[in-house]
């Protein structure tokens, strides 16, 4: 469809306004675009200056600038601590402040988004969607990710080179060879520690699940977590070398035990550094892939020692050196506190269903003002199974499926999921025998995910799923069908689903969406093709076509316990107030601490002041941020009360859900003509992508993969091959991965 046709179609009434109104809309769009451009430009300048700082500081020029900065700012009330916080931590906080109005403007600019979605663009190269490395130990790496990796490698090599040159240039000539060796080891160990602390400044940014920074660059937590893994390996390698060089030098000098246990007031304390490094090594060893895969609980529980690691790191380096990494840690504390507040709330389970293939479908209650997109996910806790374990699950429902519910599909593949299914089956049997049902209590964190629904940005979509990876694609299909029916912005017109499953008993998962009910005659508006590959069966089973009944459970609900909107894609205004109040609270607490305690009592211990700095960070979030969270919670309750007065939301949507279940058979029959099932074979992506490129031609094709790493690697490898072979300068396939590798 041409752009002019789209702009004048009756499906978009917003674009059928009068000339004056259209001009006003255009002016508004231009004003919003200008504001967004100014904010984005400012954030880029601050970020580039912050990154350049880490490269420049080791040089002579950087040392002079650093000395001038300290001389100009350490005379203030906060002294060296304030100087370091302003230099290293303030830039990332400033970017966070600017990100809030940017997201707020972007969220309100609906008409501009509509026009962007309708704009037909020629295929172009995109850094985030072009896979460069596909076979290495890092998995599938995009062009943008490779640039970031190279920058960190160059940064480490550059700093090591500069510091080594400085150490050799300042090596005293009067020392004997053994003393010179110890001098080099100690000073090189010191510099490696400072480089590790620079990397540590970035370590906590990717693991803030609801971080405004991740939403700003449209990277979901599931993808950002691997940046944390990469940074964690690099940081711990540098910290380990830092400690190892000191140990070797002290051993040569013959005072290993004395130096290891040393803890001085003025200067760096060795003993808390030893404790911090030991904790870090435990976390590092248990986070390696073989341990994490076989002993996930061991990895999970030992990783909670990060609190002790950070506290003893602050005791080790002292107050002003800790300011190098304080910004990232502070943003993580902000996110963690919100997650704690959200996860304390009990969420109603509207309905539970056990499907014959061993998959559980949960429908959870949510408030109408909680927004998410079809590629979102939640972290779920069931307290009857564990008070500590949180498991991520992709959302299988579209935000347009209903205002007051959200659904997830959970495949039974581990002990936790087996226990969940067992509790549900026991509850159903008890219900049949008129006995008390087994209680199932859920808590939720999220939803998290992409800020922008990139599945709506392509006219041509390829969805590649492995097993339960079909879950988010059900949400995508539902979202596209709803938007097509309601005339909302939506580009996809050609969709191909490639689904690889082990057994045919998983095929009924496709029937969990009643497509014909969502969008009648959708086949006239949407070209949908589904290719299913059953890998472990050579032919259809004898009972193919036989309908297996699912086990349903309808636990009692209170009609008042829906998900909280504090985390994920919550209200941007409240979120901004929370960040600003916590930051101002941190400055106020530092001010009060200096005025009434540190200066009057002449507190000089580096370790103690480092501990006080950490306490101020925590207290500012709990006290000042907590006030905003409390008001936010009251606002949420008032909204929920107003919604409850309007309609009986739980029962209405439960009735709608029951009607959907009753209508699924007809949907399954209408889908049969577009489904091709292949038994005993795996998808050949070379043939699939080759056929698609010939059929669709020179157009942008969005490829979304949800499945195991091997599946993502196979798809990414073929996408790279197709793009290089067919269009060297304008790749037509754009790769996006979705899902977890825990």
């Amino acid at each position: 469809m041409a752009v002019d046709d789209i702009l004048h179609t009756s499906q978009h009434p917003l674009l059928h306004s009068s000339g004056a109104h259209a001009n006003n809309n255009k002016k508004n769009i231009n004003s919003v675009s200008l504001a967004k451009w100014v904010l984005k430009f400012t954030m880029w300048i601050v970020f580039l200056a912050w990154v350049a700082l880490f490269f420049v500081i080791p040089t002579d020029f950087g040392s002079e600038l650093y000395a001038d900065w300290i001389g100009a700012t350490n005379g203030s009330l906060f002294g060296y601590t304030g100087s370091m916080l302003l230099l290293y931590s303030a830039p990332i906080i400033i970017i966070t402040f600017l990100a809030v109005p940017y997201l707020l403007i972007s969220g309100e600019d609906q008409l501009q988004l509509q026009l962007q979605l309708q704009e037909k663009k020629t295929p172009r190269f995109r850094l985030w969607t072009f896979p460069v490395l596909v076979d290495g130990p890092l998995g599938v790496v995009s062009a943008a990710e490779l640039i970031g990796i190279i920058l960190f490698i160059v940064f480490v090599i550059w700093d090591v080179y500069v510091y080594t040159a400085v150490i050799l240039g300042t090596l005293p000539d009067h020392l004997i060879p053994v003393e010179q060796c110890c001098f080099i080891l100690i000073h090189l160990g010191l510099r490696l520690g400072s480089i590790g602390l620079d990397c540590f400044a970035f370590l906590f940014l990717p693991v803030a699940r609801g971080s405004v920074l991740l939403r700003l660059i449209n990277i979901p937590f599931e993808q950002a977590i691997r940046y944390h893994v990469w940074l964690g390996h690099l940081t711990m390698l540098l910290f380990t070398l830092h400690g190892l060089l000191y140990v070797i030098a002290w051993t040569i000098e013959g005072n290993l035990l004395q130096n290891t246990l040393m803890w001085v007031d003025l200067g760096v304390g060795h003993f808390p550094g030893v404790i911090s490094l030991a904790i870090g090594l435990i976390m590092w060893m248990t986070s390696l892939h073989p341990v994490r895969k076989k002993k996930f609980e061991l990895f999970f529980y030992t990783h909670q020692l990060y609190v002790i690691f950070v506290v003893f790191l602050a005791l080790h380096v002292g107050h002003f050196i800790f300011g190098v990494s304080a910004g990232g840690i502070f943003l993580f504390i902000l996110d963690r506190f919100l997650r704690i507040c959200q996860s304390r709330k009990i969420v109603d389970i509207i309905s539970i269903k056990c499907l014959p293939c061993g998959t559980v479908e949960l429908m959870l209650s949510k408030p109408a003002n909680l927004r998410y997109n079809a590629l979102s996910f939640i972290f779920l806790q069931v307290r009857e199974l564990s008070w500590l374990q949180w498991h991520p699950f992709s959302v299988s429902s579209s935000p347009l499926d209903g205002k007051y519910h959200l659904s997830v599909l959970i495949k039974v593949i581990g002990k936790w999921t087996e226990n969940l299914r067992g509790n549900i089956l026991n509850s159903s049997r008890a219900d049949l025998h008129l006995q008390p049902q087994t209680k199932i209590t859920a808590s939720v964190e999220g939803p998290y995910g992409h800020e922008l629904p990139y599945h709506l940005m392509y006219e041509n979509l390829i969805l590649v799923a492995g097993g339960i990876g079909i879950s988010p694609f059900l949400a995508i299909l539902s979202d596209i069908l709803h938007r097509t029916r309601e005339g909302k912005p939506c580009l996809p017109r050609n969709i191909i689903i490639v689904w690889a499953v082990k057994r045919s008993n998983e095929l009924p998962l496709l029937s969990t969406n009643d497509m014909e009910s969502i969008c009648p005659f959708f086949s006239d508006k949407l070209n949908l093709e589904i290719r299913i590959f059953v890998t472990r069966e050579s032919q259809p089973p004898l009972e193919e076509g036989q309908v297996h009944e699912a086990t349903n459970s309808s636990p009692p609900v209170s009609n008042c316990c829906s998900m909280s909107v504090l985390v994920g894609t919550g209200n941007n205004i409240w979120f901004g107030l929370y960040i600003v109040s916590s930051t101002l609270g941190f400055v106020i607490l530092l001010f009060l601490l200096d005025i009434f305690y540190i200066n009057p009592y002449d507190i000089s211990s580096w370790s103690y002041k480092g501990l006080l700095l950490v306490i101020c960070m925590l207290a500012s979030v709990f006290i000042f941020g907590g006030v905003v969270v409390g008001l936010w919670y009251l606002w949420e309750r008032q909204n929920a009360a107003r919604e409850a007065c309007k309609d009986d939301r739980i029962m209405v949507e439960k009735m709608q859900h029951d009607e959907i279940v009753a209508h699924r058979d007809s949907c399954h029959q209408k889908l049969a003509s577009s489904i091709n099932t292949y038994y005993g074979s795996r998808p050949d992506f070379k043939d699939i992508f080759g056929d698609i490129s010939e059929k669709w031609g020179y157009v942008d094709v969005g490829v979304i993969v949800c499945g195991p790493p091997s599946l993502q690697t196979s798809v990414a490898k073929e996408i790279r091959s197709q793009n290089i072979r067919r269009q060297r300068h304008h790749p037509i396939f754009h790769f996006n991965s979705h899902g977890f590798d825990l």
Side-chain angles (χ1 to χ4, degrees), residues 208-238:
R209 295 175 185 172
S211 170
V212 68
L213 296 177
L214 295 182
R215 293 173 56 197
L216 173 68
I217 57 180
N218 197 30
I219 295 180
F221 169 74
E222 61 183 285
Q223 184 175 344
I225 190 65
R226 64 192 201 141
Y227 307 153
H228 172 75
V229 174
W230 298 345
L231 285 169
H233 290 317
L234 177 60
T235 303
M236 283 311 305
L237 176 63
L238 291 168

Side-chain angles (χ1 to χ4, degrees), residues 439-508:
K439 185 179 180 181
I440 300 177
T441 304
S443 296
V444 175
E445 281 187 16
Y448 305 106
H450 285 269
E451 183 68 14
L452 296 176
Y454 61 76
H455 63 281
L456 301 177
M457 306 298 182
Y458 299 94
E459 186 175 348
N460 307 280
L461 270 181
I462 302 175
L463 309 177
V464 182
I468 196 60
I470 196 66
S471 176
F473 297 158
L474 296 175
I476 286 179
L477 281 178
S478 178
D479 196 44
I480 292 173
L481 291 172
H482 276 292
R483 288 176 173 273
T484 301
R485 184 191 67 185
E486 299 173 15
K488 293 186 175 182
C490 179
L491 275 185
R493 289 296 175 265
N494 302 303
I495 301 176
I496 291 181
I497 298 179
V498 180
W499 186 24
V501 296
K502 295 179 180 178
R503 306 288 180 185
S504 57
N505 63 349
E506 298 184 48
L507 301 186

Side-chain angles (χ1 to χ4, degrees), residues 39 286 317 595 624 639 702:
L39 289 170
T286 55
V317 300
I595 289 294
F624 293 87
N639 280 346

